[in-house]
Amino acid sequence: MNEQLLYLIELQKIDTETQKVLLGRKELPVLLAKKEETFGVIKSRIAEHRSNLDEKNGAHRELEDKLKKVLEQLRKTRDRIHDVKSNKEYQAVLKEIETLEKKSGVVEDQIISILEEIDAVKVLLAMKEQEFAGEQQRYEEDKRKTEEQIGSIESQLRSGQKQGDEIRGKIRKDLLKKYEIIKNVNHGLAVVSAWKETCNGCHMNIPPQLYNELLESMDDLICCPNCRRIIYRHDQSMDGA
Ligand SMILES: [Zn+2]
């Protein structure tokens, strides 16, 4: 293949890579911010589950305190039975004991029901905590990778610039100018491969005669008649190069 064409293909590869890196410089920080935001929502959800359990535990403690007070009152009231002086007073104390016993029964039922709620919340929370641990790990890994990518952008750009300059120095001025013009009107893509009479830039057919020229020509650069890009024959041996 024409040596100049090989340089142009190489330059296109470098320029395409640089465009990708530049796009990353613009988009990666936005992507990172989005990831942080999404994880913030996940974090606030688990915080809700945790505070739900805290609330229920708080309610349980309050009920236990309440029960303790009622039982204490009940004990004191029962003691008073020995000091009663009249039947009327005796009946009143009995009535009071009955009321307190009912009250303690109600609080005990409330305690049983809050303990059941706490158990259910704990089961759910354990499940959510496990999910969250996985999500947190994935997020942190993802975040670290993205931050690494962002961190290496400037050095990637510098090395692309250097490689590009080197190749540009080997390309004839008129060809380089042509390359830049085509690149500017074709969204950064000036050199494309062609295979089976199809341009890989615009995916239009290349007239057979021109395609044959592409296979045989060693000197002239051939452009796609549709998109005007410089085309070269797709060679399997160049894949992955
Ligand atoms: Zn084309």
Side-chain angles (χ1 to χ4, degrees):
M1 204 185 283
N2 182 327
E3 196 183 39
Q4 288 289 305
L5 179 56
L6 286 175
Y7 291 149
L8 283 170
I9 293 169
E10 187 60 29
L11 181 59
Q12 179 66 71
K13 257 192 217 165
I14 294 164
D15 282 352
T16 300
E17 189 55 38
T18 300
Q19 281 162 28
K20 250 193 260 170
V21 177
L22 283 173
L23 191 68
R25 182 160 73 176
K26 209 170 80 182
E27 289 180 348
L28 286 175
V30 180
L31 194 70
L32 186 63
K34 261 187 206 159
K35 282 173 184 170
E36 277 165 356
E37 200 188 315
T38 306
F39 184 67
V41 173
I42 292 170
K43 226 166 131 178
S44 70
R45 262 189 227 134
I46 192 79
E48 255 172 55
H49 284 292
R50 285 170 187 158
S51 76
N52 187 22
L53 180 62
D54 287 346
E55 269 170 37
K56 298 251 186 265
N57 279 329
H60 175 223
R61 275 193 303 274
E62 270 172 32
L63 285 171
E64 292 287 357
D65 278 352
K66 197 173 167 186
L67 181 63
K68 219 168 120 185
K69 274 174 198 156
V70 174
L71 292 177
E72 179 63 18
Q73 218 180 337
L74 192 57
R75 191 183 59 78
K76 280 180 185 163
T77 311
R78 278 183 182 137
D79 282 351
R80 267 169 47 212
I81 279 248
H82 311 294
D83 305 327
V84 293
K85 307 258 172 350
S86 67
N87 187 43
K88 199 183 162 198
E89 207 183 329
Y90 180 72
Q91 291 304 325
V93 173
L94 280 187
K95 182 85 192 150
E96 206 177 317
I97 288 171
E98 196 191 22
T99 306
L100 285 168
E101 277 172 348
K102 261 188 203 157
K103 202 171 166 186
S104 80
V106 168
V107 177
E108 274 166 358
D109 286 347
Q110 284 172 335
I111 288 174
I112 289 168
S113 116
I114 193 94
L115 283 175
E116 278 168 1
E117 279 177 46
I118 286 172
D119 279 346
V121 170
K122 273 182 180 168
V123 169
L124 183 69
L125 182 62
M127 210 170 70
K128 295 285 170 192
E129 289 283 10
Q130 206 177 4
E131 276 174 23
F132 176 71
E135 274 160 347
Q136 187 168 25
Q137 202 183 358
R138 277 194 295 279
Y139 163 72
E140 276 164 8
E141 177 77 358
D142 202 15
K143 187 184 166 178
R144 191 183 55 75
K145 275 188 195 157
T146 309
E147 281 170 344
E148 258 175 32
Q149 273 177 293
I150 292 172
S152 71
I153 282 176
E154 297 309 320
S155 75
Q156 280 182 62
L157 286 176
R158 272 195 302 276
S159 103
Q161 178 80 46
K162 202 176 148 225
Q163 285 176 306
D165 286 348
E166 244 169 67
I167 290 281
R168 277 188 187 86
K170 294 175 184 169
I171 299 171
R172 264 180 17 227
K173 288 249 153 47
D174 60 317
L175 288 183
L176 198 56
K177 202 172 165 192
K178 189 172 176 175
Y179 168 85
E180 294 296 347
I181 291 169
I182 299 172
K183 203 177 85 169
N184 284 338
V185 295
N186 279 301
H187 310 287
L189 197 58
V191 184
V192 294
S193 62
W195 186 241
K196 291 184 176 168
E197 297 183 13
T198 303
C199 163
N200 283 328
C202 63
H203 305 289
M204 297 296 278
N205 279 342
I206 297 161
Q209 200 190 336
L210 191 65
Y211 193 68
N212 286 338
E213 259 181 69
L214 188 64
L215 302 183
E216 289 153 14
S217 166
M218 282 300 290
D219 304 316
D220 297 332
L221 290 185
I222 293 173
C223 290
C224 168
N226 180 56
C227 68
R228 314 306 306 166
R229 289 182 176 105
I230 299 163
I231 46 178
Y232 64 92
R233 191 173 68 107
H234 175 84
D235 189 335
Q236 304 281 342
S237 69
M238 286 176 65
D239 285 355

